[in-house]
Amino acid sequence: MDNIRSLRDVQDEIIRLKKEKDICILAHVYQSHDILEIADYTGDSYGLSVQAAKSEASTVIMCGVRFMAETVKILSPDKKVILSSPDAGCPMAEQIDTSLLAGLKKRYPDHTVVCYINTTSELKTLCDVCVTSASAVKIIKNIENDKILFIPDCNLGAWVKEQIPEKEFAFVQGGCPTHLRMTKNMVLKAKEAHPDAKLLIHPECLPEVSALADYVGSTTGIMNYAKEHDHKEYIIGTENSITEHLQYECPDKYFYPLSKDCVCHNMKLTSLVDVLNCCNGTGGEEIILEDDVREKALRCINTMLELG
Ligand code: SF4
């Protein structure tokens, strides 16, 4: 077994290479714990792209999915941006293409088009403003128009609509296949098994699941809630890596995944060795965006900042 490298050896090599080659590593919190340990920044997708823009490193490796690496490139056009695993897409981000959206805009000509950050850069070029799950309510409240076309996640949209009943919303049938695996029945069983646990739910879940939660919020919001509250037990209704990361951060608390199946297979495509290969220049894919696409997508993101 002497020729098998340990996880620690690979991590050490990555840490050495990123210093030598002026690389900043971003890891979305749905990545595995061994990748989070070697990252310069961990967190939600938009927060990571902001951190990358502030970093002085000339190269950024995004351990996540394609739309996240594109967002990094939109905010940091002069940096070399590498997506850790070229096959890591996001099914939700790819549910609507530009021709479908063009048709929707004709159908709802007087609506402001709001897209979730989980969309392709191309799609963002046709949208008025984008939102994150944490900022959606605040930003949509600040839009002057009372008619909103919200894409692509109708479940996140329904949660936002509930909090802004004065506005009129149009949705399309879209959503995250990972979060849609969680059902009301699973919630009832989990509550029965852990009657003292607080239920923390991501708003990409079905409305009947969110309706039973003690807290609904972004991934960062869920992690902060569990870390900041004195409560001992939590049922976690988002991607299962969050349960694992929280166990490391709060060893005196108990975390139960709402569903064993809440695993994003695209997020799990990246391995520690993929990250090493990216550092070595033998893996990953460099993200290239046409200037026109980048500039129009940036406008959509900048409007989010103005309204937020
Ligand atoms: S968890 Fe859902 S929204 Fe996030 S990357 Fe996976 S499929 Fe896309």
Side-chain angles (χ1 to χ4, degrees):
M1 297 291 276
D2 283 353
N3 56 346
I4 293 193
R5 278 184 300 179
S6 73
L7 187 143
R8 186 60 196 267
D9 287 345
V10 177
Q11 287 181 319
D12 286 347
E13 211 172 329
I14 292 171
I15 290 165
R16 183 183 64 74
L17 281 168
K18 69 176 182 173
K19 276 187 200 141
E20 185 186 304
K21 298 192 172 186
D22 192 27
I23 294 171
C24 164
I25 298 181
L26 309 175
H28 187 275
V29 277
Y30 292 169
Q31 296 290 301
S32 56
H33 205 79
D34 53 345
I35 293 177
L36 260 58
E37 282 178 340
I38 49 83
D40 296 281
Y41 301 104
T42 64
D44 279 344
S45 61
Y46 180 66
L48 288 176
S49 55
V50 172
Q51 292 295 350
K54 288 181 193 161
S55 154
E56 287 182 358
S58 55
T59 299
V60 179
I61 296 172
M62 176 74 223
C63 304
V65 296
R66 184 168 294 272
F67 81 82
M68 297 175 181
E70 288 185 356
T71 310
V72 174
K73 187 67 183 175
I74 292 167
L75 296 193
S76 303
D78 297 331
K79 294 185 196 288
K80 182 175 181 178
V81 178
I82 311 280
L83 172 62
S84 54
S85 175
D87 290 334
C90 165
M92 172 156 70
E94 291 151 21
Q95 271 160 359
I96 297 183
D97 62 14
T98 50
S99 62
L100 178 56
L101 180 55
L104 287 166
K105 286 175 77 157
K106 275 191 194 145
R107 194 164 153 201
Y108 300 105
D110 48 357
H111 286 54
T112 296
V113 183
V114 178
C115 65
Y116 193 14
I117 190 100
N118 299 27
T119 41
T120 63
S121 50
E122 246 201 333
L123 201 73
K124 286 185 181 81
T125 64
L126 296 182
C127 298
D128 297 307
V129 55
C130 73
V131 295
T132 64
S133 53
S135 68
V137 172
K138 183 176 182 189
I139 285 162
I140 294 175
K141 272 187 182 167
N142 286 342
I143 293 173
E144 276 187 23
N145 191 355
D146 278 345
K147 292 182 177 171
I148 305 293
L149 170 61
F150 187 92
I151 57 167
D153 186 353
C154 61
N155 301 301
L156 173 64
W159 177 71
V160 173
K161 181 183 172 183
E162 214 180 278
Q163 294 165 78
I164 319 177
E166 65 278 16
K167 294 211 181 210
E168 187 184 317
F169 283 78
F171 300 120
V172 281
Q173 205 59 39
C176 164
T178 306
H179 287 86
L180 287 177
R181 287 186 201 126
M182 288 175 280
T183 63
K184 181 178 175 182
N185 209 19
M186 287 175 183
V187 173
L188 298 179
K189 280 190 179 161
K191 279 181 174 254
E192 200 181 315
H194 310 291
D196 295 329
K198 294 272 187 203
L199 176 66
L200 314 184
I201 292 288
H202 195 284
E204 288 171 19
C205 290
L206 289 164
E208 65 256 36
V209 171
S210 299
L212 298 172
D214 295 294
Y215 171 80
V216 181
S218 67
T219 314
T220 302
I222 287 176
M223 292 186 81
N224 288 342
Y225 186 102
K227 284 188 266 183
E228 288 162 10
H229 284 73
D230 290 337
H231 211 76
K232 280 279 176 202
E233 294 180 69
Y234 299 88
I235 301 163
I236 302 296
T238 187
E239 217 277 345
N240 284 348
S241 38
I242 298 305
T243 311
E244 184 191 358
H245 303 326
L246 281 170
Q247 281 165 342
Y248 278 98
E249 293 207 37
C250 314
D252 55 332
K253 296 182 181 178
Y254 296 91
F255 300 97
Y256 315 109
L258 176 53
S259 161
K260 289 177 199 160
D261 289 332
C262 193
V263 174
C264 177
H265 300 296
N266 281 279
M267 282 287 187
K268 294 293 181 283
L269 278 178
T270 299
S271 70
L272 193 66
V273 174
D274 288 329
V275 185
L276 176 63
N277 292 341
C278 289
C279 292
N280 274 323
T282 58
E285 178 188 326
E286 181 175 358
I287 299 294
I288 310 279
L289 296 179
E290 285 173 22
D291 286 347
D292 185 47
V293 169
R294 194 194 74 77
E295 280 158 22
K296 286 184 181 154
L298 180 63
R299 210 181 303 152
C300 179
I301 293 174
N302 281 342
T303 309
M304 165 173 81
L305 299 180
E306 284 157 24
L307 290 170

